[in-house]
Structure formats: structure tokens, C-alpha cells
């Protein structure tokens, strides 16, 4: 399945490319974004490029990966949203993040809703997970707003993470709240 651009009311998303490395790296080293995304570690440009390469490989192998998020009428990358595999056995996880200067406007929720819709309707996922560090209240609010529910508490590399989940059946019950791609 060839990825296409996804549009919502205020956003447009397209698969991440190597050309976006500088903007993405700048986003990922922002202290507010990296606090929970990278456990407050300032990643290198090379590490950011590895994430993009892994996403491109995932698109090639599975039809999904990470998407760059832009305001509908701007050329400025303001975030990312997409899917990856995690855990054993492998599960599908949605990841999302928005630039700190755009926080509090519902943009992460809008991007995540569009991605959830794509996951269930285009990729046929049965379950989609989302995880966050316990102090990341904003991320848990996004999970709850998109209809996810608590699934489990796990420890990864000595750190606690809380996971929420949504099933395909739960999505179908309330799919009217999810954006239509254009």
C-alpha cells in the first residue's frame, strides 16, 4: 500500500523523509519534547536519521511508519505521528509529538485520531497501543480523548511505562469521531 498524504481539519501529514532530518532533529531535541520521548536525552542528528531510516524500512515492509505533521497551510514541520512495532510478541504502537509552541491546541489529538483511523481502516490492525511515562499527563489526555483505555503497566530498561489500547471493535463503535482522509 503506497502511503498518501493525510489531511484533517487543520493538519496534513506525509511519511517522514530524509529531507526533513534538520526540522525533525530540532523538534526532538527541544527540552519539552525530549523530556518524555527520549527520556530527556538530547539525541544526535545521526540517531534521528536512524529513526527516519527505520520508518522508511517499515513503510516498505509493512506499509506504515512515522509521518511528518504540518499545519494545513504552512510548510513548517510541527510534529510527527505514526506506528511502530514494540514488545514481544510484537504489538502495534502509535507515537505522536507536537512542537512545544503548538501545545494545548488539540493538534496531537487531531493527528492521533487520523492515524488511528488509518490503522484500523487501511491496515486492518486488531489492536493499537499507546504508551507514556507516568508523569506525561498530556499524552494520557490525548489517549483518553481518542477513546483508548488503560491496558497495562510495564517496565522497560528500568523505567516504568503505562500503555493504553484500543481494539478494532471499540473503534467501530465510535468511528464517527475520527477524521476522514482526503
Amino acid at each position: 500500500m503506497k502511503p498518501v498524504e493525510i489531511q484533517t481539519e487543520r493538519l496534513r501529514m506525509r511519511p517522514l523523509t530524509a529531507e526533513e532530518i534538520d526540522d525533525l532533529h530540532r523538534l526532538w531535541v527541544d527540552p519539552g519534547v525530549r523530556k518524555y520521548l527520549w527520556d530527556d536525552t538530547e539525541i544526535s542528528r545521526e540517531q534521528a536519521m536512524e529513526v527516519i531510516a527505520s520508518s522508511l524500512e517499515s513503510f516498505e515492509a509493512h506499509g506504515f511508519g512515522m509521518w511528518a505533521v504540518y499545519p494545513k497551510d504552512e510548510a513548517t514541520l510541527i510534529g510527527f505521528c505514526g506506528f511502530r512495532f514494540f514488545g514481544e510478541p510484537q504489538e502495534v504502537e502509535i507515537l505522536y509529538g507536537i512542537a512545544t509552541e503548538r501545545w494545548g491546541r488539540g493538534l496531537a489529538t487531531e493527528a492521533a485520531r487520523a492515524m488511528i483511523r488509518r490503522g484500523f481502516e487501511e491496515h486492518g490492525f486488531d489492536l493499537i497501543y499507546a504508551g507514556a511515562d507516568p508523569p506525561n499527563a498530556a499524552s494520557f489526555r490525548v489517549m483518553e480523548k481518542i477513546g483508548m483505555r488503560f491496558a497495562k503497566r510495564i517496565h522497560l530498561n528500568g523505567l516504568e511505562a503505562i500503555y493504553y489500547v484500543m481494539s478494532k471493535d471499540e473503534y467501530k463503535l465510535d468511528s464517527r469521531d475520527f477524521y476522514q482522509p482526503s
Side-chain angles (χ1 to χ4, degrees):
M1 173 185 323
K2 185 178 187 319
V4 297
E5 187 171 273
I6 298 171
Q7 291 197 21
T8 67
E9 182 180 337
R10 300 176 293 169
L11 302 172
R12 60 186 173 80
M13 298 183 282
R14 65 176 187 238
L16 281 175
T17 66
E19 289 77 35
E20 290 157 318
I21 181 63
D22 292 328
D23 292 335
L24 191 63
H25 183 249
R26 191 170 19 264
L27 173 71
W28 284 349
V29 298
D30 175 277
V33 175
R34 77 169 189 242
K35 181 176 183 178
Y36 299 116
L37 181 64
W38 300 105
D39 297 324
D40 214 16
T41 300
E42 190 166 315
I43 67 163
S44 68
R45 188 175 187 280
E46 290 73 28
Q47 287 170 296
M49 195 61 217
E50 288 171 14
V51 172
I52 292 173
S54 176
S55 175
L56 292 170
E57 289 171 15
S58 181
F59 271 112
E60 186 69 29
H62 310 290
F64 63 83
M66 290 294 129
W67 297 65
V69 176
Y70 292 87
K72 209 169 205 175
D73 299 323
E74 295 178 37
T76 305
L77 182 137
I78 63 161
F80 66 96
C81 189
F83 298 113
R84 71 171 180 181
F85 285 121
F86 81 103
E88 289 296 326
Q90 286 193 328
E91 301 283 359
V92 174
E93 178 179 22
I94 185 173
L95 298 170
Y96 47 82
I98 297 291
T100 54
E101 66 272 10
R102 308 277 179 139
W103 285 1
R105 300 178 192 175
L107 298 172
T109 301
E110 189 170 324
R113 275 192 177 121
M115 200 57 55
I116 289 282
R117 181 181 196 282
R118 184 169 184 84
F120 288 125
E121 294 188 10
E122 302 292 324
H123 298 296
F125 298 149
D126 291 321
L127 294 171
I128 298 174
Y129 287 87
D133 299 339
N136 191 349
S139 194
F140 290 115
R141 279 193 304 277
V142 170
M143 292 176 210
E144 290 165 1
K145 285 179 183 177
I146 63 175
M148 298 184 107
R149 61 180 163 74
F150 175 81
K152 58 187 170 183
R153 201 178 277 269
I154 63 173
H155 287 83
L156 296 169
N157 304 319
L159 299 172
E160 184 179 34
I162 297 173
Y163 278 85
Y164 279 51
V165 67
M166 177 183 278
S167 71
K168 182 184 281 188
D169 289 339
E170 290 166 324
Y171 165 77
K172 286 179 182 176
L173 286 174
D174 208 15
S175 63
R176 69 184 179 279
D177 288 340
F178 290 80
Y179 295 100
Q180 302 290 324
S182 52

